[in-house]
Amino acid sequence: MPVARPQSDTDDGWWWLGVHGGAGVTTLAQAVPGGRDAGRAWPVSARSQQVVLVARSSASGIAAAQNAARQWASGMVTGVDLLGLVVVADAPGRRPRVLQDSVRLVSGAVPRLWEIPWVEPWRLGAPPVQNLPKQCLPLARDLTRLTQPM
């Protein structure tokens, strides 16, 4: 549950906010450059901060994403432009229906949903940028488009 609020020392890029430990922020930051790790806390700055929530597709990961989305939607979190939620597969293969239904439910509470499949080379320590699944391309494209100054 993101509760602490680190101060932003720069207004460049966006923030990856891992809603629980092991969400995949470090790997995503390497795979899709441009974001900074918020350290599981909503960032704060003099201007609005762009944030992408990150969660694993496990029951506890999805519940943590739901909690973060609730915090944002309730107005409890100010100065945040929530770009969306990235759900990173927690295991290979198809996601169980109950978890897929939970992801669909929480996706209604966030502006966008990106789903990243299980990537075995990442598990084995291969560099994310060299083993980028095609599902990362829409994420990278969207974040580039959403975070470009107008």
Side-chain angles (χ1 to χ4, degrees), residues 27-50:
T27 301
L28 284 173
Q30 293 172 26
V32 182
R36 295 165 286 153
D37 186 345
R40 293 192 349 209
W42 295 104
V44 157
S45 176
R47 71 173 184 91
S48 182
Q49 296 293 300
Q50 296 175 311

Side-chain angles (χ1 to χ4, degrees), residues 11 18 28 40 56 59 62 66 94 117 125-126 131 133 135 139 143:
D11 289 335
L28 284 173
R40 293 192 349 209
R56 289 283 177 181
I62 298 165
Q66 219 170 7
R94 292 181 61 120
N131 297 278
Q135 291 87 341
L139 172 63
L143 289 176

Side-chain angles (χ1 to χ4, degrees), residues 5 17 20 22 30 34 36 38-39 48 50 52 55 58 63 65 79 94 106 110-111 117 128 138-139 146-148:
R5 300 175 63 101
L17 196 163
H20 60 87
Q30 293 172 26
R36 295 165 286 153
S48 182
Q50 296 175 311
V52 177
S58 64
R94 292 181 61 120
V106 75
V110 295
L139 172 63
L146 291 166
T147 60
Q148 292 301 314

Side-chain angles (χ1 to χ4, degrees), residues 27 56 90-92 118-126:
T27 301
R56 289 283 177 181
D90 68 319
W118 180 261
V119 182
E120 189 66 23
W122 290 359
R123 182 180 191 210
L124 300 173

